[in-house]
Structure formats: structure tokens, C-alpha cells
Amino acid sequence: MANQKFIISGGGTGGHIFPAISIANALKKKRPEAQFLFVGAEGRMEMEKVPNAGYEIVGLPVSGFNRSNLLKNFKVLFRLFKSLRMAKKVVKDFAPDVAVGVGGYASGPTLFMAHRLGVPTVLQEQNSYAGVTNKLLAKKAAKICVAYENMDRFFPKENTILTGNPVRQDFLDVAPKAQEAYDFFGFTPEKKTLLIVGGSLGARTINQSVIAGLQKLKEAGIQVLWQTGKFYFEDAKKAYEPYKTSDIVVTDFVKRMDYAYAVADLVISRAGASSISELCLLGKSTILVPSPNVAEDHQTKNAQALASRNAAVMVADKDAKEVLVDEALRLIEDSAKLNDLGNNAKAMAQLDSADRIADEILKLIEK
């Protein structure tokens, strides 16, 4: 049997890139001789992250549509046609056995052309609300791997399979409440710990809410680990100066998220698909503040999927400055509620997602 070949396409955010790399790693474990080619969007973070993970990537000049200024879309259309031509050549030259799309700009042209050239396609939809590109591609896909139940309202039921989102498995290697994790941040297990994360780039509303509540956080007798993201770090540091205490650690980026999760009694987070999958896998009690600035408002729908099952508390972005810190301080003292949220989140987790997706991909070749 000739070496199997896989194209994996998509990206734009860590939430798309990490699952893409996980799927490739899982396939590589099962088929060590296989060849991989990633297809991303020029200038986006996958062009750096994928080579760092040891895979080859080509970039397409594709970009998203400008919904607020339709005239600006002539350039977008031009780039789309150019990307379709390039994707056709890439698929023809590489001749993959299967093409996998994980969402993001590049997956549209790549999977469209793969299907036209007779290559079976697999989609991985990370959110509880399907994006436009995946809805269009799903009609032709051989398999659609999803992270939430009831996704057949967007996709053909017979081809849709619940696999969950691949997450960083190393998070599971650190035991909850491990002493080494407390030591890493200069914390103690005797106090409750609140972890605040706005995503790797940060989240303005979450940071503004924390700044507004610094006095209350300092007086609450809890420990706070606050990841601001690099854009907001200087402002946050300045605001924090008058409240300085060893119980509050402010950083632009948490290098050891496994330790951060291990010590956290409560997490405040955006509601991106990969963050939610990690939080469920770890059974973390969470307040989700969905970002309103994402396509199809999918973060709100992700958060609602958990809140409706008492697996998280949702605070709307517009209300956060007024209520977020108060809600967090009330919740962190309510051990029974924290317990319920964590257990219900864990019940929603999907284990070994990357392996399960890899198995579905390999089944297509065996057919």
C-alpha cells in the first residue's frame, strides 16, 4: 500500500490551528509513513505555528468578507478566485487520499477543489453553531466530525458524527490542586483561586471588568491569576499598581496553563470552542463571557449550550463591567454550586477526540 497522503486546511485562530495539528499528530501515530500538507491563509498565525509543529504548509491569499463595507469585497473576491486556482494546483500536485477542513478562511477553497477533483473530504466543526463555510462544504463532505449534539440541524445526519474537539492532552498530566502548581505562581492551597483568561490576545471587556473590580478582588481574601493578553498588559499593570498584593498575579501570558487550571477553583473565560472543550475535559467551574465580535455570534451559542445544562454560568459582554467580579466572588464562595458546574461540564466532555477523528479519516481510505 502506497504511503497515505493528507491535506489539512484551515486556521486563522488557535482554536482552528490546534485541532488541525492534533488531528495530524493522531494520524501520524497510526500511520508513521504518511505525508502531510497543510493549507493556510497567508499572513495568519498558522503560517508560523504549523511549521513549528514540524509540518509543511502553503498559504493562500484568501481573506474574509467585509460585512460592513460591501464595496471592499472586490479585492476579497479577486483573492478568492486566485485562492481557488492555487488550491486546485496544490490538490492536483500533492494528490491526497483525504482532505480535512477545520474551519477558517483557507478551508473553503481547499475542500471545494478537493471535492471537485474526486478527493473525499472531512470537516471538523468546533462550535455549537455551524459557520457559513462549513455549512456550504458539508453538502459534499464524506464525514462531518462535530463537538456538540444536535448538529444535524446544520448537517446531513447520516454523515455527522460526535467526536468532540481535540484539546491539549498534557493538561491532564497535572493533578488538580498539585502543590507544584501552587508553588509555580507563589500561591497556597489554603485559599480559593480565581483564574481569569481572555484568550491568548486578551479580551478588552474582561480586562476592563477586572480593573473596575480590583478593590473588591483584593479585599476578598482569594488568589487571582489574571492573564491579560499582550495588547492589554501595560494598561492592566498600571491599574493594578495601587492594589499590589502577592495574592494577585498579573501576566500577559500564562506559560503553564496546565498549572493554572490545576489551581483554579473558578475560571473566567471567553467562550471559544477549544477553551470550552478544555474546561469540560478538566471539569472546571466557569463563568463564560462570550465575545460579541465573532462570526455568527457563535461564542454566545457555545456558552448557551453549557449554561442550559448548568455546566457554566454565562455573563453577557455588555453586562460584564457591572456584574462579572461580583458574580465571580459570590460563586467562588459557593462550593456546592462550583461542584455542580464542574461535574456537569465534565459530563459534556468528549475524550480522545483527535484519535476518533483520525479513525474516521482512515475508514474513508479503507473503503
Side-chain angles (χ1 to χ4, degrees):
M1 190 172 173
N3 281 356
Q4 290 165 349
K5 293 179 169 184
F6 303 98
I7 275 183
I8 301 180
S9 183
T13 65
H16 290 315
I17 298 160
F18 183 79
I21 293 169
S22 294
I23 293 165
N25 290 345
L27 284 166
K28 201 173 184 176
K29 216 164 58 191
K30 294 171 191 289
R31 297 287 185 274
E33 304 303 312
Q35 289 171 268
F36 296 88
L37 179 63
F38 280 70
V39 182
E42 284 172 1
R44 305 291 295 213
M45 64 197 273
E46 59 265 27
M47 301 310 291
E48 180 195 339
K49 300 276 187 207
V50 169
N52 288 351
Y55 294 101
E56 192 188 335
I57 187 167
V58 295
L60 304 179
V62 65
S63 59
F65 278 93
N66 189 318
R67 294 173 192 213
S68 53
N69 186 339
L70 295 176
L71 291 173
K72 287 192 174 160
N73 287 320
F74 286 119
K75 198 187 260 182
V76 175
L77 284 170
F78 172 73
R79 286 185 186 145
L80 178 61
F81 287 122
K82 193 174 169 192
S83 297
L84 283 162
R85 278 206 315 275
M86 286 172 70
K88 185 177 183 178
K89 185 174 177 352
V90 167
V91 175
K92 262 190 161 158
D93 291 352
F94 188 70
D97 293 279
V98 180
V100 183
V102 295
Y105 301 141
S107 64
T110 311
L111 266 73
F112 178 78
M113 279 303 168
H115 174 76
R116 283 195 65 169
L117 293 166
V119 176
T121 60
V122 174
L123 295 181
Q124 200 251 330
E125 172 57 71
Q126 290 123 19
N127 292 298
S128 64
Y129 191 88
V132 175
T133 308
N134 274 357
K135 278 195 261 190
L136 292 170
L137 293 169
K139 296 181 177 75
K140 312 280 191 219
K143 287 264 168 71
I144 304 125
C145 297
V146 298
Y148 290 88
E149 287 164 2
N150 307 320
M151 292 302 282
D152 46 18
R153 64 191 200 277
F154 305 112
F155 301 135
K157 189 171 188 166
E158 62 282 5
N159 297 341
T160 303
I161 175 153
L162 182 66
T163 56
N165 284 324
V167 300
R168 287 168 274 201
Q169 295 297 322
D170 55 342
F171 286 164
L172 298 168
D173 297 343
V174 179
K177 310 284 181 209
Q179 186 60 49
E180 70 203 83
Y182 285 103
D183 293 344
F184 185 80
F185 300 110
F187 286 164
T188 165
E190 273 69 65
K191 292 181 181 177
K192 292 269 182 81
T193 305
L194 172 65
L195 169 64
I196 303 164
V197 228
S200 51
L201 299 174
R204 179 185 283 128
T205 307
I206 292 179
N207 287 325
Q208 288 173 337
S209 306
V210 176
I211 288 170
L214 277 168
Q215 181 74 40
K216 289 177 183 169
L217 288 167
K218 184 178 179 175
E219 290 165 0
I222 62 167
Q223 296 165 145
V224 180
L225 177 56
W226 175 19
Q227 177 181 293
T228 64
K230 63 177 183 206
F231 291 144
Y232 306 103
F233 182 55
E234 290 308 322
D235 289 347
K237 214 165 63 172
K238 213 178 289 170
Y240 165 65
E241 267 309 304
Y243 303 98
K244 241 182 157 141
T245 155
S246 58
D247 282 344
I248 300 178
V249 172
V250 185
T251 176
D252 58 340
F253 184 72
V254 175
K255 290 184 181 67
R256 292 293 304 261
M257 272 311 282
D258 51 351
Y259 284 170
Y261 281 142
V263 300
D265 295 284
L266 177 65
V267 182
I268 292 174
S269 171
R270 282 301 201 196
S274 54
S275 304
I276 285 182
S277 297
E278 289 166 2
L279 292 161
C280 287
L281 196 66
L282 294 163
K284 285 286 148 192
S285 318
T286 308
I287 298 177
L288 295 170
V289 186
S291 169
N293 316 314
V294 291
E296 285 103 30
D297 198 19
H298 65 244
Q299 285 208 5
T300 299
K301 287 152 184 146
N302 291 347
Q304 284 166 340
L306 271 75
S308 67
R309 296 177 176 209
N310 192 28
V313 170
M314 182 171 106
V315 170
D317 192 88
K318 63 176 173 47
D319 303 330
K321 266 188 243 172
E322 273 70 61
V323 305
L324 183 59
V325 168
D326 289 341
E327 179 66 19
L329 292 176
R330 192 181 59 73
L331 198 53
I332 205 161
E333 294 308 328
D334 187 344
S335 298
K337 177 74 171 168
L338 288 179
N339 210 15
D340 283 350
L341 290 172
N343 289 338
N344 293 339
K346 203 165 181 68
M348 289 181 74
Q350 297 287 333
L351 300 172
D352 308 318
S353 297
D355 280 332
R356 287 158 63 190
I357 294 166
D359 288 339
E360 292 301 327
I361 292 166
L362 293 172
K363 275 185 213 163
L364 287 178
I365 301 178
E366 283 148 23
K367 274 186 184 170

